[in-house]
Amino acid sequence: MARAPKSGFEAPRGRRASVLTRTPQPSRDRFGRFTEWIARAMGTPAFLLILTLFCAAWIGWNTVGPETLRFDDAALGYTALTLVLSLQASYAAPLILLAQNRQDDRDRVQIEQDRQRAERNLADTEYLAREVVALRMALTDMQNEAISRDVLRHELKTLLERLDERDAERDVERRDDGSAAS
């Protein structure tokens, strides 16, 4: 039975249904994450304990176990165990190096981001410091101007008072001169 087309409210506008229903692609970085998981797992006490128990069980079985069921001869130095451990080490080393390289790349990116952030913080701090200095200078200028204005006003008042006194003295002299002349 054919499905009816979706109405405008049931499907997003401008999107094809095939785009929305497609399965997500596997991450291209899956192997890198796997190598990091291996490196983290091999660096744990649990891994060392499991490996030790595995070797002890191997040696114990091939030493004490029934001779017909032994698969690695103690007389030959446990050749199969040596081969298994060598194989594990030969795969572990490159995987650990890959994980370290990925970590180095992440660290490099993080260091670059930290450096850029520090530069921005320094620029912001320098800007704020310049602004604070400018505000201090403006406040100092305003205080100096206020003091200068007050001093200037006081001086002008003093001068006006002296001028008024002189004018008053001249008026008195003129009156005295005018009354003496009459």
Side-chain angles (χ1 to χ4, degrees):
M1 178 176 185
R3 294 176 76 177
K6 293 183 177 183
S7 68
F9 294 112
E10 294 175 7
R13 235 172 48 185
R15 302 277 186 200
R16 294 189 327 246
S18 64
V19 171
L20 296 175
T21 58
R22 128 174 88 171
T23 58
Q25 295 294 321
S27 173
R28 295 180 181 159
D29 206 28
R30 185 175 287 171
F31 184 72
R33 287 196 312 266
F34 172 72
T35 61
E36 288 176 344
W37 178 79
I38 292 291
R40 276 192 302 272
M42 287 186 165
T44 62
F47 175 78
L48 293 174
L49 180 66
I50 291 169
L51 187 61
T52 302
L53 292 175
F54 172 78
C55 291
W58 184 293
I59 292 170
W61 179 262
N62 288 301
T63 303
V64 184
E67 225 174 283
T68 57
L69 297 176
R70 293 181 192 171
F71 51 88
D72 197 10
D73 192 10
L76 296 176
Y78 300 107
T79 309
L81 178 62
T82 305
L83 180 63
V84 168
L85 292 176
S86 296
L87 185 64
Q88 181 267 334
S90 68
Y91 277 99
L95 291 175
I96 290 170
L97 288 174
L98 285 171
Q100 286 177 341
N101 289 340
R102 284 174 47 86
Q103 186 61 44
D104 288 345
D105 292 342
R106 275 196 302 273
D107 290 345
R108 220 174 285 119
V109 168
Q110 185 64 41
I111 288 169
E112 179 62 24
Q113 289 174 347
D114 289 346
R115 187 189 62 76
Q116 290 173 352
R117 192 176 302 115
E119 286 178 356
R120 283 193 305 268
N121 287 343
L122 180 63
D124 290 346
T125 303
E126 288 175 348
Y127 171 76
L128 291 173
R130 285 192 303 270
E131 289 296 315
V132 167
V133 168
L135 286 172
R136 283 183 179 168
M137 290 173 63
L139 281 173
T140 303
D141 290 345
M142 286 175 53
Q143 288 172 349
N144 290 341
E145 287 176 12
I147 292 171
S148 298
R149 278 190 243 135
D150 290 341
V151 170
L152 183 61
R153 283 184 186 143
H154 179 51
E155 291 294 321
L156 285 174
K157 283 182 184 177
T158 306
L159 287 173
L160 283 173
E161 289 171 0
R162 286 184 189 166
L163 284 174
D164 287 340
E165 288 174 6
R166 283 185 193 167
D167 286 344
E169 288 175 5
R170 285 184 189 161
D171 286 342
V172 170
E173 286 176 6
R174 283 184 197 156
R175 283 187 204 153
D176 288 342
D177 288 341
S179 41
S182 2

